[in-house]
Amino acid sequence: MGDKEMYKKLVDKLAKNTVLDRDEYLTLIKNKDGVREYAAELAGKVRRQHYGDRIFIRGLIEFTNHCRNNCYYCGIRAGNSCVERYRLSPDEIVSCADSGHELGFRTFVLQGGEDVLYTDDILVDIISRIKKKYPDCAVTLSIGERSDESYKRLKEAGADRYLLRHETVNPEHYKKLHPVDMSHENRLRCLRRLKELGYQTGAGFMVGSPGQTDEDLADEMLFLKELDPQMVGIGPFIPHKDTPLGGESPGSAQMTTFLLSLIRLTLPGVLLPATTALGTIDPMGREKGIMAGANVLMPNLSPAGVRDKYLLYDNKICTGDEAAQCINCLKLRMEKTGYRIVTERGDYK
Ligand code: SAM
Ligand code: FES
């Protein structure tokens, strides 16, 4: 059997829902160029079995760029004094949801830095207002590490989902990306707690973050299989010039789309976005992501006036567009993929 046939057999094995071991994932990752298209083809089939040709959209509301943390890769880290900081008021956030609902969005993702000014009381108020106005909608939170009690209160207020990328499964690698006052252990603990509390939970990592090895990526796959999250967010690392890792090389679109296929095959029913970072590193990145097995897009609903202030990395796309423009543009772009954008909540099956 030739090498290429052997790689295909491994992909077949994964598609039959058989567990791969670390060496098998590693073989695929090291030889992605020989098997990328085949993996995308099978991932597409699996995705169709679960979700047909539907692409779910999530309206992303980036409500604060204040953050107490100093992740070395992140453009809005506390130590970046070049950032013009902003916060949206509860009324402004609800008004973003109003315009999103009008445009057909049925999920709102409230994302921000870890901003202590948004207390549990304030967040409970925002979530309950959105859920009361739009009971047909899901609210997703992406606001980092909080206490168990806080996660519990926000869930009780009506939050349905929570995105908390673990960033890396390797504790040594975590230290290369974060200062010592940040804890890998706590990040993982939060993730498991969110799942226990009944949130549809999203883990994830950056592809090609400085110091990441192929072995780390194989371990990511094993970790995801074990955690079994309902959502997985991955996108290429893209340097931001005003951060400590600003001089590092970006992650690759090809590795990202290949991993999207492996994740789809590993967790067949997972909700998997083709991220803005992927669309930034490659002009056709989001289309390629969808064709590799992703089934979610997260257009921006933040007011146009603040979009260019939520810059996690350089050259972020769509920072000048209005939400309506974004959604029309994406609908046209997705027509070419054979999949179509739908306006439904798009819960995990
Ligand atoms: N504060 C929340 C948290 O920690 O989960 C949510 C916001 S945080 C900016 C969202 C994600 O952006 C991070 O989990 C990280 O993976 C991603 N991110 C940050 N900087 C990035 C960069 N330079 N390139 C690509 N992705 C980046
Ligand atoms: Fe906090 Fe990036 S360092 S959101």
Side-chain angles (χ1 to χ4, degrees):
M1 189 172 23
D3 284 350
K4 226 169 170 172
E5 287 311 305
M6 198 245 299
Y7 308 146
K8 281 188 170 181
K9 286 261 172 308
L10 287 178
V11 175
D12 286 337
K13 194 171 161 188
L14 195 52
K16 284 187 195 124
N17 216 358
T18 314
V19 186
L20 293 193
D21 64 26
R22 187 177 193 253
D23 284 344
E24 290 172 323
Y25 274 121
L26 192 55
T27 300
L28 287 175
I29 288 162
K30 282 198 182 296
N31 298 286
K32 69 170 185 338
D33 292 339
V35 72
R36 208 156 43 87
E37 282 173 22
Y38 188 64
E41 189 188 319
L42 291 202
K45 277 189 190 152
V46 169
R47 169 227 202 286
R48 275 184 191 272
Q49 277 162 17
H50 284 78
Y51 293 106
D53 63 353
R54 291 171 301 158
I55 300 172
F56 303 125
I57 46 168
R58 319 301 195 196
L60 184 62
I61 306 173
E62 296 158 337
F63 68 93
T64 172
N65 69 353
H66 288 258
C67 188
R68 63 178 169 181
N69 291 333
N70 253 317
C71 305
Y72 296 146
Y73 46 83
C74 183
I76 61 169
R77 64 198 298 272
N80 184 2
S81 55
C82 304
V83 180
E84 196 185 320
R85 305 282 170 177
Y86 73 89
R87 293 187 172 100
L88 297 186
S89 68
D91 284 351
E92 286 172 315
I93 296 171
V94 176
S95 141
C96 289
D98 290 338
S99 29
H101 196 265
E102 183 78 24
L103 288 167
F105 287 91
R106 294 296 177 268
T107 292
F108 304 112
V109 182
L110 307 188
Q111 189 181 87
E114 289 191 15
D115 184 349
V116 287
L117 251 68
Y118 291 86
T119 57
D120 289 347
D121 285 344
I122 293 175
L123 289 167
V124 162
D125 169 58
I126 297 167
I127 296 163
S128 358
R129 278 169 66 186
I130 296 177
K131 291 295 284 192
K132 193 165 172 213
K133 245 178 147 173
Y134 304 113
D136 55 334
C137 290
V139 169
T140 304
L141 300 175
S142 174
I143 48 176
E145 295 168 40
R146 301 179 74 89
S147 67
D148 288 5
E149 187 50 34
S150 172
Y151 287 150
K152 193 159 169 281
R153 278 196 66 196
L154 303 180
K155 181 85 185 56
E156 283 162 4
D160 304 274
R161 311 184 187 133
Y162 206 108
L163 301 173
L164 187 78
R165 292 184 176 185
H166 58 286
E167 314 296 0
T168 172
V169 70
N170 175 346
E172 290 309 310
H173 184 216
Y174 186 88
K175 286 188 204 154
K176 293 188 185 141
L177 301 175
H178 304 91
V180 281
D181 61 341
M182 292 182 71
S183 155
H184 185 238
E185 208 180 317
N186 192 51
R187 192 89 182 166
L188 297 184
R189 196 196 59 78
C190 285
L191 200 47
R192 293 187 199 280
R193 188 75 194 113
L194 288 163
K195 207 163 169 250
E196 281 162 16
L197 284 168
Y199 284 97
Q200 291 177 44
T201 303
F205 56 90
M206 292 175 290
V207 178
S209 58
Q212 183 181 67
T213 61
D214 288 343
E215 286 73 11
D216 289 333
L217 290 176
D219 287 335
E220 293 298 352
M221 294 299 130
L222 296 180
F223 172 74
L224 289 175
K225 180 77 188 165
E226 183 254 316
L227 180 72
D228 194 21
Q230 288 86 2
M231 307 176 282
V232 175
I234 65 161
F237 160 72
I238 305 176
H240 183 296
K241 60 179 178 6
D242 301 319
T243 61
L245 297 175
E248 300 288 333
S249 307
S252 91
Q254 288 198 348
M255 181 59 96
T256 306
T257 51
F258 181 58
L259 292 174
L260 285 171
S261 300
L262 291 191
I263 293 169
R264 168 64 60 207
L265 293 169
T266 302
L267 303 171
V270 76
L271 294 162
L272 192 61
T275 55
T276 305
L278 183 54
T280 298
I281 206 82
D282 178 334
M284 294 294 282
R286 284 169 301 175
E287 289 87 334
K288 289 178 186 171
I290 292 292
M291 292 175 75
N295 64 336
V296 172
L297 290 169
M298 296 173 66
N300 205 322
L301 277 184
S302 313
V306 302
R307 284 190 192 193
D308 59 350
K309 300 183 181 71
Y310 196 87
L311 298 181
L312 309 178
Y313 44 79
D314 290 333
N315 306 316
K316 185 178 173 194
I317 53 168
C318 308
T319 52
D321 299 346
E322 294 289 343
Q325 262 172 289
C326 273
I327 189 70
N328 287 333
C329 160
L330 280 175
K331 276 183 183 159
L332 280 176
R333 281 171 164 265
M334 292 305 141
E335 272 176 15
K336 294 168 210 140
T337 64
Y339 295 93
R340 67 191 166 92
I341 288 178
V342 295
T343 53
E344 46 189 281
R345 263 177 65 126
D347 284 297
Y348 179 77
K349 279 193 182 170

mmCIF file of all heavy atoms in Angstrom, residues 6-27:
data_model
loop_
_atom_site.group_PDB
_atom_site.id
_atom_site.type_symbol
_atom_site.label_atom_id
_atom_site.label_comp_id
_atom_site.label_asym_id
_atom_site.label_seq_id
_atom_site.Cartn_x
_atom_site.Cartn_y
_atom_site.Cartn_z
ATOM 1 N N MET A 6 -2.423 4.767 2.542
ATOM 2 C CA MET A 6 -2.417 4.549 3.995
ATOM 3 C C MET A 6 -3.080 5.747 4.708
ATOM 4 O O MET A 6 -3.875 5.571 5.622
ATOM 5 C CB MET A 6 -0.963 4.381 4.461
ATOM 6 C CG MET A 6 -0.812 3.737 5.799
ATOM 7 S SD MET A 6 -0.110 4.785 7.036
ATOM 8 C CE MET A 6 1.478 5.223 6.449
ATOM 9 N N TYR A 7 -2.778 6.956 4.229
ATOM 10 C CA TYR A 7 -3.388 8.140 4.862
ATOM 11 C C TYR A 7 -4.907 8.123 4.643
ATOM 12 O O TYR A 7 -5.678 8.446 5.541
ATOM 13 C CB TYR A 7 -2.818 9.450 4.286
ATOM 14 C CG TYR A 7 -1.309 9.539 4.291
ATOM 15 C CD1 TYR A 7 -0.628 10.215 3.275
ATOM 16 C CD2 TYR A 7 -0.563 8.942 5.303
ATOM 17 C CE1 TYR A 7 0.756 10.291 3.264
ATOM 18 C CE2 TYR A 7 0.825 9.015 5.293
ATOM 19 C CZ TYR A 7 1.475 9.680 4.268
ATOM 20 O OH TYR A 7 2.831 9.750 4.254
ATOM 21 N N LYS A 8 -5.294 7.718 3.431
ATOM 22 C CA LYS A 8 -6.736 7.666 3.135
ATOM 23 C C LYS A 8 -7.438 6.659 4.043
ATOM 24 O O LYS A 8 -8.548 6.887 4.520
ATOM 25 C CB LYS A 8 -6.964 7.289 1.671
ATOM 26 C CG LYS A 8 -6.780 8.446 0.707
ATOM 27 C CD LYS A 8 -7.210 8.013 -0.678
ATOM 28 C CE LYS A 8 -7.273 9.185 -1.636
ATOM 29 N NZ LYS A 8 -7.712 8.792 -2.962
ATOM 30 N N LYS A 9 -6.765 5.547 4.284
ATOM 31 C CA LYS A 9 -7.347 4.515 5.166
ATOM 32 C C LYS A 9 -7.568 5.083 6.579
ATOM 33 O O LYS A 9 -8.559 4.773 7.239
ATOM 34 C CB LYS A 9 -6.416 3.290 5.249
ATOM 35 C CG LYS A 9 -6.413 2.412 4.011
ATOM 36 C CD LYS A 9 -7.330 1.206 4.223
ATOM 37 C CE LYS A 9 -7.554 0.351 3.002
ATOM 38 N NZ LYS A 9 -8.000 1.021 1.784
ATOM 39 N N LEU A 10 -6.614 5.907 7.013
ATOM 40 C CA LEU A 10 -6.777 6.507 8.346
ATOM 41 C C LEU A 10 -7.993 7.440 8.370
ATOM 42 O O LEU A 10 -8.759 7.464 9.333
ATOM 43 C CB LEU A 10 -5.515 7.288 8.737
ATOM 44 C CG LEU A 10 -4.289 6.462 9.111
ATOM 45 C CD1 LEU A 10 -3.100 7.371 9.420
ATOM 46 C CD2 LEU A 10 -4.581 5.566 10.316
ATOM 47 N N VAL A 11 -8.158 8.192 7.275
ATOM 48 C CA VAL A 11 -9.321 9.093 7.209
ATOM 49 C C VAL A 11 -10.610 8.268 7.170
ATOM 50 O O VAL A 11 -11.602 8.604 7.839
ATOM 51 C CB VAL A 11 -9.208 10.039 5.988
ATOM 52 C CG1 VAL A 11 -10.458 10.888 5.843
ATOM 53 C CG2 VAL A 11 -7.986 10.933 6.115
ATOM 54 N N ASP A 12 -10.588 7.159 6.422
ATOM 55 C CA ASP A 12 -11.762 6.271 6.376
ATOM 56 C C ASP A 12 -12.111 5.776 7.781
ATOM 57 O O ASP A 12 -13.272 5.740 8.188
ATOM 58 C CB ASP A 12 -11.477 5.039 5.500
ATOM 59 C CG ASP A 12 -11.468 5.387 4.023
ATOM 60 O OD1 ASP A 12 -12.078 6.408 3.644
ATOM 61 O OD2 ASP A 12 -10.824 4.652 3.252
ATOM 62 N N LYS A 13 -11.062 5.407 8.489
ATOM 63 C CA LYS A 13 -11.249 4.880 9.855
ATOM 64 C C LYS A 13 -11.935 5.940 10.733
ATOM 65 O O LYS A 13 -12.906 5.653 11.436
ATOM 66 C CB LYS A 13 -9.861 4.533 10.410
ATOM 67 C CG LYS A 13 -9.853 3.699 11.645
ATOM 68 C CD LYS A 13 -8.418 3.247 11.962
ATOM 69 C CE LYS A 13 -8.311 2.830 13.408
ATOM 70 N NZ LYS A 13 -6.944 2.568 13.835
ATOM 71 N N LEU A 14 -11.447 7.159 10.618
ATOM 72 C CA LEU A 14 -12.024 8.261 11.404
ATOM 73 C C LEU A 14 -13.478 8.500 10.999
ATOM 74 O O LEU A 14 -14.352 8.716 11.849
ATOM 75 C CB LEU A 14 -11.173 9.516 11.150
ATOM 76 C CG LEU A 14 -11.312 10.714 12.077
ATOM 77 C CD1 LEU A 14 -11.147 10.308 13.532
ATOM 78 C CD2 LEU A 14 -10.266 11.771 11.715
ATOM 79 N N ALA A 15 -13.732 8.427 9.690
ATOM 80 C CA ALA A 15 -15.094 8.682 9.195
ATOM 81 C C ALA A 15 -16.067 7.597 9.667
ATOM 82 O O ALA A 15 -17.264 7.834 9.756
ATOM 83 C CB ALA A 15 -15.078 8.760 7.673
ATOM 84 N N LYS A 16 -15.546 6.414 9.978
ATOM 85 C CA LYS A 16 -16.419 5.338 10.483
ATOM 86 C C LYS A 16 -16.578 5.467 11.987
ATOM 87 O O LYS A 16 -17.011 4.536 12.667
ATOM 88 C CB LYS A 16 -15.821 3.981 10.133
ATOM 89 C CG LYS A 16 -16.009 3.635 8.674
ATOM 90 C CD LYS A 16 -15.558 2.214 8.391
ATOM 91 C CE LYS A 16 -15.390 1.994 6.909
ATOM 92 N NZ LYS A 16 -14.047 1.529 6.529
ATOM 93 N N ASN A 17 -16.163 6.608 12.503
ATOM 94 C CA ASN A 17 -16.286 6.904 13.931
ATOM 95 C C ASN A 17 -15.423 6.000 14.795
ATOM 96 O O ASN A 17 -15.746 5.704 15.934
ATOM 97 C CB ASN A 17 -17.759 6.819 14.357
ATOM 98 C CG ASN A 17 -18.060 7.869 15.408
ATOM 99 O OD1 ASN A 17 -17.165 8.607 15.823
ATOM 100 N ND2 ASN A 17 -19.296 7.929 15.856
ATOM 101 N N THR A 18 -14.328 5.524 14.214
ATOM 102 C CA THR A 18 -13.384 4.734 14.988
ATOM 103 C C THR A 18 -12.340 5.695 15.540
ATOM 104 O O THR A 18 -11.931 6.620 14.855
ATOM 105 C CB THR A 18 -12.680 3.705 14.071
ATOM 106 O OG1 THR A 18 -13.682 3.091 13.277
ATOM 107 C CG2 THR A 18 -11.923 2.677 14.870
ATOM 108 N N VAL A 19 -11.955 5.458 16.766
ATOM 109 C CA VAL A 19 -11.009 6.380 17.409
ATOM 110 C C VAL A 19 -9.619 6.216 16.795
ATOM 111 O O VAL A 19 -9.162 5.099 16.567
ATOM 112 C CB VAL A 19 -10.935 6.056 18.926
ATOM 113 C CG1 VAL A 19 -10.086 7.083 19.653
ATOM 114 C CG2 VAL A 19 -12.326 5.985 19.515
ATOM 115 N N LEU A 20 -8.968 7.337 16.496
ATOM 116 C CA LEU A 20 -7.565 7.279 16.075
ATOM 117 C C LEU A 20 -6.694 7.476 17.305
ATOM 118 O O LEU A 20 -7.071 8.183 18.240
ATOM 119 C CB LEU A 20 -7.241 8.376 15.065
ATOM 120 C CG LEU A 20 -7.887 8.327 13.679
ATOM 121 C CD1 LEU A 20 -7.185 9.305 12.748
ATOM 122 C CD2 LEU A 20 -7.899 6.938 13.087
ATOM 123 N N ASP A 21 -5.502 6.871 17.275
ATOM 124 C CA ASP A 21 -4.591 7.142 18.388
ATOM 125 C C ASP A 21 -3.676 8.309 18.020
ATOM 126 O O ASP A 21 -3.732 8.832 16.903
ATOM 127 C CB ASP A 21 -3.828 5.882 18.820
ATOM 128 C CG ASP A 21 -2.912 5.346 17.730
ATOM 129 O OD1 ASP A 21 -2.480 6.154 16.869
ATOM 130 O OD2 ASP A 21 -2.624 4.131 17.733
ATOM 131 N N ARG A 22 -2.827 8.700 18.959
ATOM 132 C CA ARG A 22 -2.004 9.894 18.782
ATOM 133 C C ARG A 22 -1.111 9.786 17.537
ATOM 134 O O ARG A 22 -1.004 10.717 16.747
ATOM 135 C CB ARG A 22 -1.141 10.075 20.038
ATOM 136 C CG ARG A 22 -0.362 11.362 20.049
ATOM 137 C CD ARG A 22 0.391 11.460 21.357
ATOM 138 N NE ARG A 22 0.912 12.787 21.591
ATOM 139 C CZ ARG A 22 2.201 13.101 21.495
ATOM 140 N NH1 ARG A 22 3.086 12.186 21.155
ATOM 141 N NH2 ARG A 22 2.599 14.337 21.742
ATOM 142 N N ASP A 23 -0.483 8.588 17.356
ATOM 143 C CA ASP A 23 0.413 8.424 16.201
ATOM 144 C C ASP A 23 -0.358 8.532 14.893
ATOM 145 O O ASP A 23 0.158 9.048 13.901
ATOM 146 C CB ASP A 23 1.102 7.056 16.263
ATOM 147 C CG ASP A 23 2.209 7.062 17.304
ATOM 148 O OD1 ASP A 23 2.604 8.171 17.719
ATOM 149 O OD2 ASP A 23 2.646 5.969 17.703
ATOM 150 N N GLU A 24 -1.582 8.044 14.891
ATOM 151 C CA GLU A 24 -2.375 8.102 13.649
ATOM 152 C C GLU A 24 -2.754 9.553 13.312
ATOM 153 O O GLU A 24 -2.636 9.985 12.168
ATOM 154 C CB GLU A 24 -3.617 7.216 13.789
ATOM 155 C CG GLU A 24 -3.251 5.733 13.815
ATOM 156 C CD GLU A 24 -4.433 4.816 14.147
ATOM 157 O OE1 GLU A 24 -5.288 5.184 14.989
ATOM 158 O OE2 GLU A 24 -4.489 3.715 13.565
ATOM 159 N N TYR A 25 -3.194 10.294 14.323
ATOM 160 C CA TYR A 25 -3.468 11.726 14.074
ATOM 161 C C TYR A 25 -2.199 12.433 13.603
ATOM 162 O O TYR A 25 -2.222 13.237 12.671
ATOM 163 C CB TYR A 25 -3.976 12.411 15.347
ATOM 164 C CG TYR A 25 -5.471 12.304 15.558
ATOM 165 C CD1 TYR A 25 -5.998 11.699 16.698
ATOM 166 C CD2 TYR A 25 -6.374 12.843 14.626
ATOM 167 C CE1 TYR A 25 -7.371 11.615 16.908
ATOM 168 C CE2 TYR A 25 -7.752 12.763 14.834
ATOM 169 C CZ TYR A 25 -8.233 12.154 15.969
ATOM 170 O OH TYR A 25 -9.598 12.078 16.174
ATOM 171 N N LEU A 26 -1.086 12.086 14.253
ATOM 172 C CA LEU A 26 0.180 12.746 13.928
ATOM 173 C C LEU A 26 0.587 12.450 12.482
ATOM 174 O O LEU A 26 1.034 13.346 11.755
ATOM 175 C CB LEU A 26 1.258 12.270 14.912
ATOM 176 C CG LEU A 26 2.569 13.036 14.927
ATOM 177 C CD1 LEU A 26 2.349 14.531 15.164
ATOM 178 C CD2 LEU A 26 3.493 12.473 16.017
ATOM 179 N N THR A 27 0.399 11.217 12.059
ATOM 180 C CA THR A 27 0.719 10.851 10.673
ATOM 181 C C THR A 27 -0.097 11.715 9.716
ATOM 182 O O THR A 27 0.424 12.254 8.734
ATOM 183 C CB THR A 27 0.389 9.347 10.440
ATOM 184 O OG1 THR A 27 1.160 8.584 11.342
ATOM 185 C CG2 THR A 27 0.678 8.930 9.017
#
